[in-house]
Amino acid sequence: MKHFNFTLLALSMCAINPAHANFIDQSTVTLTTKNVYIDRNYMGEGVAQPASKEWAQGFMLNMNSGYTKGVIGTGLDVYAGLGFKLWGDAEHSRGTSMLPLDPITGKPESSFAEISATAKFKYAETELKYGTLFPKTPVVIASFSRALPQSYHGVQLVSKDIKNLKLEMTYLDQVNQRDSTNYEDIKLISANGRFKPISSDYLYYIGANYALNPQTEITLFHANFHDIYQQYYTGLNHSYPINDAMSLSTDFRYFRTLDEGKQLAGNIDNHHGNLVFGVSQNNHKLSAGYIHNSGDTAMPYLSSGETATYMDSWATDFLNKNEKAYTIRYDYNFKDYIPGLNTTLKYVYGNNFNAADGRENRESEANFIGSYAFQQPYLKGLALQYLLIDYHVKYGTDFTENRFFVNYSKKF
């Protein structure tokens, strides 16, 4: 209720300030539609359900104002989302995290809607926001992989006043999940029973991105998930052009996560690192990488969220205790033949971790991703994407998954 009241207050602010020209003239309105179909088929005997699948249509309207004139400019962003069930039932909807489910019958809701606002203030190149936030950082990422996005509520301060340096401080106290319209406490994911599905009152993080030069960026972050864990992140991204057609790239990411305060989720002790090298030539890019987990536990992250590890995959996370994983990826851009068409082939193999019963386990995931963005002027903003996911695990449940996306975005 408190977020709904804030939305009304923020909308009223917009209504009583029509005289501020920049507030209106520099505003933008973007309509985005997402048609999403997910079909995951489980293989093997004794599976809890034969498949998880749903089909939904989402509509997102983002209205972002400019700033009023003055030493400190003020503005307002409004987000509205509307989702519709196109197909789904109680037998198959569990596990897709796309449509809200009736807590008694398990049936997916036929529609759901949400609206929220963000007040913003700007001084020079420093911006303060309060309200609905969609963070995209190494330590917290709002997921956009369903019909409607995941969002957080909190306060965010971002400064770009120092050349080549971006500073960010954020405090988050609640989350609105992809398959919900209600805000709730932020929760730790309990994937495969690794941790207790515990929640906390708040999470805060502070971070910096510094560009040493146009080819090299260093990223440092620290997050504190109150009474659950604290996390430190170091990242280095570098590209080296050899000539006009060929370049090399390096992507290094390291996370150190430890339990914190009252240790509500129990012991947390994880080192996670990944190093990826890539070579690009004309329309081709080939990448190969290694991921390393060590410490007493797996790497924790937030419920229904995504991780900023390079190995973040569609089917699993490769973040088990002591797991080691290897990946190879090939990307091809058809720009010389079919502009707008891109394809990706990826394979990840992980081992050196234990199943729930203690047996030594291994897993693999293979992906094919094809996407096409229409180039014709009358279809500008329309894009298609298809994902094929093939997952296998020695002790566990194998599955094959197909995902289809039809996205359209129009800026007014």
Side-chain angles (χ1 to χ4, degrees):
M1 180 62 70
K2 64 179 181 180
H3 301 304
F4 179 72
N5 291 336
F6 170 72
T7 300
L8 294 179
L9 175 60
L11 290 171
S12 66
M13 287 171 55
C14 180
I16 64 177
N17 287 290
H20 298 291
N22 289 346
F23 186 94
I24 302 299
D25 295 343
Q26 296 178 8
S27 65
T28 61
V29 177
T30 304
L31 174 65
T32 302
T33 70
K34 290 185 69 175
N35 188 287
V36 184
Y37 176 72
I38 297 176
D39 188 345
R40 175 180 291 191
N41 293 283
Y42 300 99
M43 293 172 281
E45 297 181 358
V47 295
Q49 63 186 81
S52 293
K53 52 185 176 181
E54 283 183 331
W55 185 19
Q57 175 67 54
F59 296 90
M60 289 153 282
L61 185 67
N62 288 279
M63 297 175 285
N64 300 329
S65 78
Y67 286 95
T68 60
K69 293 182 178 180
V71 176
I72 298 179
T74 62
L76 178 71
D77 295 341
V78 177
Y79 158 77
L82 178 62
F84 292 97
K85 179 186 74 173
L86 300 180
W87 188 91
D89 58 27
E91 180 182 359
H92 298 94
S93 288
R94 182 165 54 87
T96 63
S97 300
M98 186 154 62
L99 294 169
L101 302 181
D102 185 289
I104 299 176
T105 65
K107 293 181 179 179
E109 303 289 346
S110 59
S111 64
F112 59 114
E114 55 196 26
I115 183 169
S116 58
T118 307
K120 55 186 182 180
F121 309 88
K122 189 173 185 180
Y123 172 78
E125 290 301 312
T126 297
E127 188 175 49
L128 175 68
K129 291 184 176 182
Y130 171 72
T132 298
L133 302 172
F134 301 93
K136 188 178 181 180
T137 72
V139 291
V140 181
I141 298 177
S143 175
F144 279 72
S145 62
R146 299 297 190 270
L148 293 185
Q150 179 189 49
S151 64
Y152 288 85
H153 178 269
V155 183
Q156 180 184 72
L157 180 68
V158 176
S159 177
K160 299 179 182 178
D161 282 301
I162 301 175
K163 185 179 179 181
N164 299 328
L165 178 65
K166 177 184 175 182
L167 298 172
E168 180 173 346
M169 293 182 289
T170 301
Y171 172 93
L172 305 172
D173 58 10
Q174 288 195 308
V175 62
N176 183 7
Q177 304 291 12
R178 301 167 299 186
D179 56 354
S180 173
T181 59
N182 300 316
Y183 277 91
E184 59 188 54
D185 289 341
I186 303 171
K187 184 180 295 185
L188 181 70
I189 195 167
S190 60
N192 300 323
R194 298 171 185 159
F195 302 103
K196 302 174 185 176
I198 200 75
S199 61
S200 178
D201 294 335
Y202 64 85
L203 178 151
Y204 69 82
Y205 60 84
I206 181 170
N209 297 75
Y210 182 68
L212 294 174
N213 53 56
Q215 289 79 40
T216 307
E217 183 179 68
I218 296 176
T219 304
L220 300 172
F221 267 80
H222 170 248
N224 184 297
F225 192 15
H226 180 57
D227 282 334
I228 296 180
Y229 70 70
Q230 55 181 329
Q231 187 171 76
Y232 303 87
Y233 172 83
T234 301
L236 174 64
N237 195 286
H238 177 71
S239 62
Y240 179 76
I242 297 177
N243 52 47
D244 292 340
M246 188 175 185
S247 66
L248 303 177
S249 63
T250 302
D251 189 334
F252 169 75
R253 309 178 194 189
Y254 170 72
F255 295 82
R256 175 63 170 137
T257 314
L258 297 161
D259 49 59
E260 192 274 334
K262 296 180 180 179
Q263 302 177 328
L264 297 179
N267 178 45
I268 294 177
D269 174 28
N270 177 264
H271 296 269
H272 170 89
N274 50 246
L275 180 62
V276 179
F277 296 102
V279 55
S280 301
Q281 182 166 10
N282 295 320
N283 301 1
H284 307 265
K285 183 175 182 179
L286 181 65
S287 305
Y290 169 69
I291 188 171
H292 183 95
N293 289 284
S294 62
D296 294 336
T297 70
M299 177 178 163
Y301 56 98
L302 304 181
S303 178
S304 296
E306 299 175 6
T307 67
T309 66
Y310 180 84
M311 302 292 188
D312 182 34
S313 300
W314 296 91
T316 189
D317 51 30
F318 297 97
L319 296 177
N320 293 291
K321 176 184 175 181
N322 293 323
E323 183 170 11
K324 313 299 184 288
Y326 314 84
T327 184
I328 186 167
R329 171 174 172 157
Y330 173 68
D331 295 270
Y332 185 77
N333 188 331
F334 287 82
K335 59 185 179 181
D336 296 333
Y337 313 101
I338 309 176
L341 178 63
N342 292 273
T343 58
T344 298
L345 292 171
K346 184 173 71 170
Y347 178 78
V348 187
Y349 172 80
N351 63 2
N352 198 52
F353 67 98
N354 292 334
D357 59 7
R359 292 179 293 181
E360 187 171 332
N361 213 352
R362 61 176 181 265
E363 60 183 348
S364 67
E365 179 180 341
N367 299 153
F368 169 77
I369 305 172
S371 60
Y372 177 68
F374 287 85
Q375 304 297 299
Q376 298 84 347
Y378 54 90
L379 292 175
K380 201 71 173 179
L382 179 62
L384 310 176
Q385 187 180 52
Y386 167 68
L387 287 84
L388 173 63
I389 304 164
D390 189 37
Y391 176 74
H392 295 274
V393 60
K394 184 177 181 181
Y395 301 113
T397 303
D398 298 344
F399 60 82
T400 299
E401 182 171 335
N402 292 276
R403 297 191 188 189
F404 296 90
F405 298 85
V406 180
N407 301 328
Y408 177 76
S409 182
K410 175 68 174 178
K411 190 174 183 178
F412 299 94

